[in-house]
């Protein structure tokens, strides 16, 4: 089954982000799309940079560019599809994984782009095998997410599923134990974790959704001291990611 472009590319929009992507030799840009009638020095610079790298430049209506960018206020009439080499659907990830152990984070309705970007950065730094970003309920990987990740989002091991609950079900079917991170759970630091484990981080305000909680094998907590009730979701993800890294030895 052909892979969706949304599971292959990160769409960058806006004149400066697109030009930065074209100027970054480490990134493979699939194509640039410009709104018909776009003019000016920034547009000429984008076209020249694309031609210098043999990147196809397509022209489309301004409305079409807005639809493709998914952000009608900030696209500035231009977008670029950048190849994300480690992005793949959960099904493909499980097939490639074979019988190997693995550690994954799952985002359940995490809505702040900065949090998403920081989670991607921490998980990649800790060498985790994947971060499940569902297509619904979590922001797309846009310039805000990319900025918060310090550019790591392009090479992060992103896993895709329609929803967080679907992704958790697929992971469980692939031999993963799935645990939600919740203040009422047992200590993550003391838990006996299996060789394949996924830890789910819930919404910044409401925590784990009922649908995802139903897919979990249990809940685990990061122990808190000093009267602190909880951590920001990005901070919790960093603690969880490096605890999983520590256990790998």
């Amino acid at each position: 089954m052909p892979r969706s472009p949304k599971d292959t590319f990160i769409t960058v929009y806006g004149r400066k982000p697109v030009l930065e992507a074209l100027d970054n030799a480490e990134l493979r840009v699939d194509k640039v799309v410009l709104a018909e009638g776009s003019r000016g020095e920034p547009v000429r610079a984008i076209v020249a940079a694309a031609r210098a790298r043999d990147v196809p430049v397509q022209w489309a209506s301004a409305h079409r560019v807005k639809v493709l960018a998914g952000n009608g206020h900030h696209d500035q009439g231009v977008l670029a599809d950048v190849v994300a080499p480690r992005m793949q659907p959960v099904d493909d990830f499980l097939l490639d994984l074979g019988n190997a152990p693995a550690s994954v984070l799952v985002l359940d309705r995490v809505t702040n782009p900065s949090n998403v970007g920081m989670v991607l950065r921490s998980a990649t730094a800790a060498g985790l095998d994947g971060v499940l970003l569902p297509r619904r309920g979590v922001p797309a990987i846009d310039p805000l997410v990319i900025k918060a990740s310090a550019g790591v989002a392009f090479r992060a091991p992103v896993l895709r599923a329609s929803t967080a609950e679907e992704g958790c079900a697929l992971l469980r079917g692939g031999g993963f134990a799935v645990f939600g991170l919740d203040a009422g759970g047992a200590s993550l630091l003391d838990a006996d974790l299996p060789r394949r484990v996924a830890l789910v981080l819930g919404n910044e305000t409401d925590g784990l959704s009922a649908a995802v909680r139903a897919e979990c094998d249990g809940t685990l907590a990061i122990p808190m001291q000093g009267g602190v009730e909880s951590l920001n979701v990005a901070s919790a993800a960093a603690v969880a990611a490096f605890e999983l890294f520590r256990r790998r030895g």
Side-chain angles (χ1 to χ4, degrees):
M1 181 177 177
R3 183 181 297 186
S4 166
K6 293 183 179 180
D7 296 340
T8 306
F9 305 118
I10 291 174
T11 298
V12 176
Y13 53 81
R15 294 175 180 179
K16 183 178 179 181
V18 168
L19 191 56
E20 288 175 347
L22 288 166
D23 287 341
N24 188 339
E26 296 182 356
L27 300 180
R28 185 158 69 90
V29 181
D30 182 72
K31 65 178 178 293
V32 171
V33 182
L34 280 159
E36 294 165 346
S38 296
R39 297 182 180 84
E41 180 54 35
V43 174
R44 287 192 291 271
I46 288 169
V47 172
R51 287 176 176 167
R53 293 189 57 183
D54 294 322
V55 174
V57 176
Q58 301 176 4
W59 296 86
S61 68
H63 175 72
R64 181 62 178 163
V65 172
K66 292 183 187 302
V67 170
L68 292 173
N71 192 315
H73 299 293
H74 303 291
D75 62 82
Q76 296 180 310
V78 60
L79 63 85
D81 282 338
V82 180
V83 176
R86 300 181 69 192
M87 179 186 290
Q88 59 184 329
V90 175
D91 284 334
D92 289 358
F93 165 72
L94 293 171
L95 189 63
D96 293 344
L97 190 60
N99 295 316
S103 302
V104 170
L105 296 182
V106 179
L107 301 191
D108 173 24
R109 301 177 306 129
V110 173
T111 59
N112 187 313
S114 294
N115 284 334
V116 175
M118 288 186 283
V119 171
L120 290 176
R121 186 174 186 179
S122 295
T124 304
L128 296 195
D129 300 284
V131 180
L132 175 59
L133 299 185
R135 300 182 197 97
R136 297 201 296 271
V138 173
I141 302 178
D142 63 8
L144 293 175
V145 172
I146 293 165
K147 182 178 180 180
S149 77
V152 171
F154 290 116
R155 61 180 188 274
V158 176
L159 308 180
R160 306 311 300 264
S162 293
T163 62
E165 54 267 32
E166 179 193 76
C168 288
L170 290 169
L171 289 170
R172 289 183 70 197
F176 278 76
V178 179
F179 296 97
L181 287 180
D182 184 86
S187 172
L188 168 65
L189 306 186
D190 299 327
D192 182 15
L193 299 180
R195 60 195 297 273
R196 286 190 173 185
V197 62
L199 301 179
V200 187
L201 296 126
N203 174 264
E204 290 91 339
T205 302
D206 302 324
L208 298 170
S209 65
V212 166
R213 194 180 288 270
E215 293 292 342
C216 291
D217 297 293
T219 56
L220 297 171
I222 296 171
M224 297 285 113
Q225 303 295 321
V228 177
E229 293 184 0
S230 64
L231 296 175
N232 165 275
V233 66
S235 299
V239 172
F242 281 94
E243 172 61 13
L244 294 174
F245 170 79
R246 182 188 70 83
R247 287 170 179 255
R248 285 188 170 186

